[in-house]
Amino acid sequence: MARWVRAGVQVCLVDKCSAPHEVIESKLRLVLAQIPIIQDGQFRAFQSDAMLAGCIERVDLERATSCHATNVYGWNALFRIYLFSMQKAERFGMLSNRNTVLQCKGEEHAFEGCALPSAAARGLWEQLFFDHDAKQRLIEYTASAMLFVKHDVDPMVINWNRMVLLYGPPGTGKTSFVKAAAQKLSVRMRADYPRSYLLEVNAHSLFSKWFSESGKLVARMFGHILDVADDPDCLVFVLIDEVESLTSIRRAGGNEPSDALRVVNAMLTQLDNLKAYPNVLVLCTSNLTGALDDAFLDRADLKQYIGPPTRRTRYMILRSCVLELARTQILACTPDAFDATPTDTSPDPTKQLWALSELCDGMSGRRLRKVPLLAHAASEHPHSMMVPWSAFFESLLRILKEDQSDKSTADL
Ligand SMILES: Nc1ncnc2c1ncn2[C@@H]1O[C@H](COP(=O)(O)OP(=O)(O)O)[C@@H](O)[C@H]1O
Ligand SMILES: [Mg+2]
């Protein structure tokens, strides 16, 4: 029996799109209803309609997590469509040696902000792969937190801080995950919050050369954050990246200058003040995998460990690299040549890529995204287009083996 399945459709419109949104939406629904199998990820079939192709830059599909069915057809899905345009590349920041909010000029910043959705994070969400349902957990946590806010759930009864902590080894995608999630949520929650900002706090720079000024800097920085958050129509994501630079100072305790401790405590107090703003979500990352500071742990509602990628995730990352090289015709293979669910008995080239992903055990996501370029450069066809996938894979194999042996000598 056919089951109704819910799916989210994020539609990024081109800058100069003048067509009414209702027309775009109803035309898109007609195309979506004909999809033979709904798959998560970028959806390109709308391009066959000239009007849609002229108005839409990109469409991303996502099935609801409750849907475990493998084959879901367009005609038995309930699509929730989110139309949006990218915001101008407006960035602003507070230079750590000045008082004022200024345009970025490449100097070290204590705090930097940008309007969402931003072109810089386009497609980032779809290119991140994790072994568990980390993405869905974060989205569902936020949806519940925002629902609680909307319906005035008493925080004295149910305690929540709207604070998330992602922790794990470096290069596993934590910072990118936060940026991608903020982008995604800004689109989803547009009906409640027409404007969204991502404000990045650079924890390192708070302890830079203007050290004695740091306490004041924290206060000023949060002053700016609250200025943005004062607008109730604005959803504010505060990213505190590599929060361990703050927590390590706390742990060092008496041995550190007391000024440092004061700065960290000022920061924690300011974070507590943010609780009064229902439109603010604080997203922290930490590269520490061991004991984390209780001060941050206690405040975080959701603590998510992001570990090194498993074989399946490594396959998905390498596959996305290979598909990009196929799309740009640097590699000669068709995009559907690589199965999303590989096994040892899959046909080539899936099987070979699956074998390669076994070999790069212990590699971070960041490193995995670097090896394809090295493999192309080291292949027999370094300056060529349409490199045969078999030649590319041979080169990739060499690079991965070198990488592994470098690692084992480094481990000695
Ligand atoms: N799980 C992953 N899936 C896909 N790409 C990844 C993953 N982890 C890391 N990467 C790649 O490495 C880059 C750097 O990751 P980053 O977010 O800076 O990691 P972290 O903050 O954990 O150090 C990302 O932009 C992405 O290209
Ligand atoms: Mg990071």
Side-chain angles (χ1 to χ4, degrees):
M1 198 181 75
R3 275 177 60 215
W4 288 101
V5 168
R6 283 182 300 128
V9 187
Q10 302 217 347
V11 183
C12 178
L13 301 173
V14 297
D15 261 356
K16 295 185 190 77
C17 169
S18 55
H21 285 194
E22 311 79 69
V23 176
I24 299 175
E25 189 171 329
S26 60
K27 274 197 154 243
L28 187 62
R29 281 190 188 284
L30 290 177
V31 181
L32 288 167
Q34 290 165 29
I35 309 179
I37 293 175
I38 300 178
Q39 282 175 336
D40 285 1
Q42 203 171 347
F43 172 70
R44 293 195 168 88
F46 72 86
Q47 286 160 345
S48 55
D49 181 296
M51 183 247 171
L52 291 179
C55 294
I56 296 176
E57 186 184 305
R58 176 183 173 113
V59 174
D60 289 289
L61 279 182
E62 188 179 40
R63 291 194 293 175
T65 28
S66 50
C67 165
H68 300 296
T70 41
N71 290 354
V72 180
Y73 306 99
W75 50 265
N76 70 346
L78 291 176
F79 293 105
R80 174 136 194 206
I81 297 181
Y82 304 91
L83 299 179
F84 67 97
S85 312
M86 290 296 177
Q87 297 300 300
K88 295 270 170 311
E90 170 201 359
R91 287 188 83 80
F92 55 89
M94 186 178 84
L95 299 178
S96 36
N97 58 341
R98 310 254 183 95
N99 266 337
T100 42
V101 174
L102 296 169
Q103 286 303 117
C104 291
K105 291 200 176 68
E107 292 181 50
E108 192 177 27
H109 290 73
F111 147 79
E112 199 178 89
C114 76
L116 296 175
S118 88
R122 179 187 283 132
L124 188 56
W125 179 265
E126 289 71 28
Q127 290 303 335
L128 286 171
F129 304 96
F130 299 109
D131 307 325
H132 36 75
D133 55 354
K135 280 171 149 184
Q136 220 50 48
R137 269 188 86 190
L138 183 60
I139 293 292
E140 277 158 12
Y141 156 80
T142 320
S144 296
M146 289 320 199
L147 189 78
F148 281 26
V149 166
K150 200 168 171 179
H151 294 276
D152 259 344
V153 172
D154 186 348
M156 297 297 165
V157 181
I158 295 178
N159 200 250
W160 83 102
N161 290 331
R162 291 182 299 285
M163 182 162 154
V164 171
L165 174 68
L166 303 176
Y167 66 103
T172 47
K174 300 177 298 297
T175 305
S176 315
F177 185 16
V178 166
K179 292 183 177 175
Q183 173 102 334
K184 181 124 196 135
L185 291 165
S186 73
V187 172
R188 284 201 174 204
M189 302 216 263
R190 231 166 164 65
D192 292 327
Y193 298 98
R195 286 178 292 287
S196 301
Y197 282 96
L198 173 67
L199 309 180
E200 284 177 54
V201 174
N202 180 340
H204 290 302
S205 72
L206 288 177
F207 301 99
S208 60
K209 41 190 162 171
W210 302 281
F211 193 78
S212 58
E213 289 280 297
S214 292
K216 285 184 213 150
L217 202 64
V218 172
R220 273 208 310 272
M221 183 179 71
F222 275 86
H224 288 301
I225 293 177
L226 295 183
D227 281 349
V228 182
D230 265 336
D231 174 358
D233 286 342
C234 184
L235 183 58
V236 183
F237 299 93
V238 179
L239 160 60
I240 306 181
D241 212 10
E242 303 187 4
V243 80
E244 67 273 12
S245 50
L246 300 176
T247 57
S248 60
I249 285 172
R250 267 172 65 84
R251 207 164 308 119
N255 303 330
E256 288 288 324
S258 61
D259 202 15
L261 205 56
R262 260 208 309 278
V263 172
V264 178
N265 289 339
M267 182 108 178
L268 290 170
T269 311
Q270 296 284 1
L271 280 176
D272 288 336
N273 292 342
L274 283 183
K275 273 205 268 182
Y277 290 78
N279 52 335
V280 176
L281 261 170
V282 180
L283 305 155
C284 305
T285 75
S286 172
N287 285 330
L288 278 191
T289 47
L292 288 159
D293 192 323
D294 288 345
F296 280 90
L297 278 180
D298 287 350
R299 282 169 175 79
D301 300 327
L302 178 68
K303 294 153 221 160
Q304 177 75 62
Y305 174 70
I306 309 285
T310 59
R311 183 180 183 186
R312 192 161 295 272
T313 301
R314 295 195 299 270
Y315 172 84
M316 291 306 282
I317 295 175
L318 286 177
R319 174 180 180 260
S320 70
C321 296
V322 169
L323 292 183
E324 182 59 12
L325 293 179
R327 183 189 72 80
T328 47
Q329 300 191 346
I330 289 177
L331 216 61
C333 59
T334 54
D336 52 9
F338 295 93
D339 203 332
T341 49
T343 63
D344 292 336
T345 53
S346 299
D348 278 342
T350 298
K351 186 177 171 178
Q352 293 213 18
L353 193 62
W354 179 233
L356 287 172
S357 58
E358 167 81 344
L359 208 77
C360 42
D361 187 17
M363 245 185 215
S364 71
R366 180 184 288 147
R367 183 76 197 141
L368 281 168
R369 287 215 180 275
K370 289 197 169 131
V371 287
L373 170 63
L374 302 178
H376 182 263
S379 75
E380 289 166 25
H381 319 261
H383 309 293
S384 315
M385 300 291 286
M386 297 303 268
V387 174
W389 64 261
S390 49
F392 177 73
F393 279 11
E394 268 171 36
S395 178
L396 193 55
L397 176 71
R398 276 200 307 279
I399 297 285
L400 291 176
K401 279 190 172 160
E402 274 170 27
D403 218 273
Q404 291 302 53
S405 69
D406 285 354
K407 205 169 81 191
S408 49
T409 20
D411 289 346
L412 289 176

